[in-house]
Structures are given as structure tokens and as C-alpha cells.
Amino acid sequence: SSAGYHTYWCSNQEQKGHYVHNLSAIAKTFQEVFYVNPSTASDSYSLWNGKSSYDDELIPKLKDYNDFGRSLFEVVHLMGSHPTFSNRYPSSYASFSSEDIKEDNLDIYEKELTAQYMNSVLFNDYVIKEIIDKYSTSSSIIVYFSDHGLRRYDDPDDTNMFSHACTEVSTRIPFMVYMSEQFVRENPDIYEAVKRTIHNPIMTDVLCNSLVSLMGIKSNLTDSKFDMWSNRYDITRPRKLKKWDGGILIVSPKRRS
């Protein structure tokens, strides 16, 4: 906020708990904070595994910079397609069933779980579209990404699992930048910078450094070598992850299609 932005955090995940305590600490630095379910560590299990609110409940809570007369930095924390998949979408989005899954190597349970995952992705697409539509008529930029992927019966060390894992497949995530027409007209330099780096291999550990640059904030704590949209970004930087067992996973750049 000291850089001229009104800051707003809105979330459909729990407010406190083992998995989000770091995020909760960050959220407390925002000027405004909203949680659909202000749950705590004691009922964290029920939020992740029981019937929680759907992500579209955040849409009416989105802000507009015109409400504040200054720039707006808004974080929207979704449940997305996190397990349990069947709890991430309303029944109206149950478009796929096990019968639609044509992978003969999967049993009926695995096919049903895959169908539920596909339904959650379908609903997530709807939520993201609504967010984009909300800001398409103002000078806005949206950066969308997932915090992690999933293994879906493709881990050679455990072919029966559909879950979190520290594998190359499950560490690849969707990452998208949307700019409204007005934003592009007003900021052609940012548009060209983002477009120029579309195929660069990145890791989300440089996201904060990159966002600060994108927002036009100058700081002696940032480095253009870790700004994914900078000409000085180091595309040769190894993408390494420490695995849960203490080993190191090196993720190779995905080939351009």
C-alpha cells in the first residue's frame, strides 16, 4: 500500500491451519481481507475434505480500483481443483462421468475420480472467465496460476495414485497473463515484455520479484535477473526442487509445440 496501491486479499480457503499459516501471515499485511469461510486449524480437515463453499462465491466480492481512486492489487485465492474433487463444483457442473473416460488401464473408481477432476476443471474455467469478464472493461491485468499440479496414475514409482507428488509432471502448472484492451493501449511496453517471454522457462519462486517490477515498484530488494519479464532474466537458471525425501528434482523446460 505504501507504493500507491490499495491491497485486498479474498479467499475461499481456510483462514488458519497447518497448510496456510504462511499465506495467512501475508494476508494480514493487506489493507482488506475477506474469507468466504473464516475457518481455523480445528476445522481445517472438514474444509478440505468436506462440503466447502464454491469458488464462485468470491465473484461478488471482487473489488474495482475505481472504488478507491487509486491502483488496486488484489489476490483471489481459490480452491480450484484441489482434492477432494467432487467438493469443488456444484451439481450443475457434473458434466463428466466414468463412462466418458476411455482409458482402459483405469478401473471404475479411477475413472470416476478422473471425471470428478474434469468437472472441477470445467467449473474452475467458469470462475476464471467470470473474473476476466469483471475486469475486461477496465485497465486491468490478471496473472493466474496454480500452486502445484497433480500426478494422475502417471508416477512410475506409484501408478495407483492421483494426488500431490514431487514429480516433474505434477510440478508443471498453468500460468496465464490476461490484459484488458484498455490496459494494453495504456501499457504497450508491458504487453510486449510479457509477450516476448511467453516461452521462457520459469519457476514461481520469482513471482514476487516479477510482480513488483510489473507494478512499476522500484526496490533495492529486487533483481532483474529474477524478473521473468525482463530482458535480463536468467533463462539458464536451473529449475530445482527439494523433494520430500530430501532428494533433488530437476525440471527440464517443456518443449514448444
Side-chain angles (χ1 to χ4, degrees):
S1 58
S2 60
Y5 284 81
H6 183 83
T7 55
Y8 174 52
W9 181 286
C10 58
S11 174
N12 190 33
Q13 295 203 19
E14 70 262 50
Q15 185 173 2
K16 298 178 182 179
H18 175 72
Y19 300 107
V20 296
H21 60 275
N22 291 333
L23 287 176
S24 298
I26 295 173
K28 288 181 179 179
T29 68
F30 281 59
Q31 291 170 294
E32 285 190 76
V33 179
F34 171 79
Y35 288 92
V36 175
N37 290 305
S39 55
T40 61
S42 61
D43 53 8
S44 176
Y45 180 86
S46 63
L47 179 66
W48 285 92
N49 298 280
K51 292 295 184 182
S52 61
S53 301
Y54 299 125
D55 284 338
D56 60 348
E57 293 191 35
L58 286 173
I59 295 171
K61 303 299 181 179
L62 300 177
K63 304 285 187 178
D64 189 282
Y65 63 83
N66 291 312
D67 298 334
F68 310 102
R70 62 193 302 201
S71 298
L72 170 68
F73 178 66
E74 178 180 68
V75 172
V76 183
H77 194 194
L78 305 172
M79 271 293 191
S81 293
H82 196 286
T84 302
F85 308 127
S86 60
N87 296 332
R88 304 300 169 231
Y89 56 89
S91 58
S92 58
Y93 276 81
S95 299
F96 300 100
S97 70
S98 58
E99 296 179 356
D100 297 305
I101 310 304
K102 306 303 182 183
E103 296 169 280
D104 294 335
N105 59 307
L106 303 183
D107 62 30
I108 187 63
Y109 170 77
E110 292 168 339
K111 289 182 177 181
E112 181 58 33
L113 205 60
T114 297
Q116 292 172 2
Y117 174 71
M118 292 169 64
N119 290 331
S120 72
V121 172
L122 179 64
F123 183 64
N124 185 70
D125 285 350
Y126 158 73
V127 173
I128 299 305
K129 176 186 178 299
E130 290 296 300
I131 294 174
I132 289 175
D133 287 348
K134 161 78 175 178
Y135 295 107
S136 63
T137 57
S138 62
S139 184
S140 301
I141 181 169
I142 298 172
V143 179
Y144 169 76
F145 61 97
S146 176
D147 58 343
H148 60 79
L150 297 168
R151 58 180 172 180
R152 190 186 72 87
Y153 315 121
D154 53 10
D155 184 351
D157 295 326
D158 198 342
T159 58
N160 296 318
M161 293 301 295
F162 192 170
S163 64
H164 292 78
C166 195
T167 64
E168 183 161 349
V169 170
S170 61
T171 54
R172 296 192 186 279
I173 60 169
F175 190 98
M176 177 186 74
V177 179
Y178 166 83
M179 303 179 200
S180 67
E181 292 183 1
Q182 181 181 347
F183 185 92
V184 173
R185 289 196 304 269
E186 296 173 350
N187 304 277
D189 55 330
I190 295 179
Y191 171 76
E192 291 299 332
V194 173
K195 183 179 179 181
R196 182 179 61 248
T197 59
I198 190 172
H199 293 295
N200 286 355
I202 62 171
M203 286 180 64
T204 52
D205 63 344
V206 303
L207 181 66
C208 291
N209 194 105
S210 302
L211 285 179
V212 168
S213 172
L214 194 67
M215 296 164 67
I217 300 173
K218 304 296 183 181
S219 171
N220 59 6
L221 300 177
T222 59
D223 188 333
S224 57
K225 289 189 300 183
F226 304 119
D227 173 4
M228 66 179 74
W229 296 298
S230 168
N231 284 325
R232 296 190 65 243
Y233 174 69
D234 183 10
I235 61 173
T236 66
R237 175 175 174 254
R239 298 192 295 170
K240 296 181 179 180
L241 297 170
K242 187 174 182 179
K243 301 174 68 173
W244 296 333
D245 61 5
I248 299 296
L249 173 68
I250 299 177
V251 181
S252 58
K254 189 174 182 180
R255 293 182 179 179
R256 295 167 62 172
S257 58

